[in-house]
Amino acid sequence: MRIDPRPLLPTPSDKAPAVEAVRPVQARANARFEALLGKREQAARRSLRGELEQALGCEAINPELFAGSRAQELLHYLLDEVLPRLDAEPEVRVLAEDLLREELHLRQSLAQQRAEVQQP
């Protein structure tokens, strides 16, 4: 007995069934999908609106909290405590440190000028 390694070719009677046509998307499913998207967008807008109202709803901040030595204390705290723990790229840290030191220097020179003006 001899084995033929070639596969048998299909005979004309072994036709594959016809491919069914793809049905179009049902209008009902499409409308439901659009409604879900709309709800998601509304929820996102409500969330953002709530956060904005909460941020604006706080009482006015007294500017005296940041006047005089208090602002300098805050800047020193940022430089000494917050900046070293900041999880940022080295360039960002250097830029932040430069900005804080410049602001600290500016406030120190303004405080010195005020002191000179107040002394007769």
Side-chain angles (χ1 to χ4, degrees):
M1 172 181 240
R2 183 172 156 205
I3 300 176
D4 192 9
R6 292 180 289 166
L8 296 174
L9 295 175
T11 60
S13 63
D14 294 340
K15 283 190 171 181
V19 177
E20 292 183 30
V22 178
R23 293 184 216 161
V25 176
Q26 297 174 357
R28 183 175 158 194
N30 192 18
R32 183 170 181 243
F33 178 73
E34 292 294 330
L36 288 174
L37 280 180
K39 286 181 184 178
R40 178 184 251 175
E41 290 173 0
Q42 287 175 353
R45 280 195 298 265
R46 269 191 239 122
S47 174
L48 290 174
R49 189 175 296 130
E51 289 177 15
L52 180 62
E53 288 174 1
Q54 184 180 11
L56 295 176
C58 66
E59 297 177 19
I61 297 175
N62 186 357
E64 292 177 8
L65 288 174
F66 304 105
S69 64
R70 179 69 176 150
Q72 293 178 17
E73 290 172 12
L74 290 171
L75 290 169
H76 278 294
Y77 174 77
L78 290 172
L79 279 169
D80 299 336
E81 300 294 326
V82 175
L83 195 59
R85 297 179 186 159
L86 187 65
D87 184 26
E89 296 177 7
E91 297 87 20
V92 173
R93 282 183 161 186
V94 169
L95 183 63
E97 184 177 356
D98 290 346
L99 181 69
L100 291 171
R101 289 197 188 282
E102 183 180 333
E103 182 68 21
L104 185 60
H105 178 71
L106 178 65
R107 290 196 179 258
Q108 288 171 344
S109 62
L110 285 174
Q112 184 180 8
Q113 289 175 6
R114 282 189 197 122
E116 291 173 357
V117 169
Q118 290 177 355
Q119 293 180 1

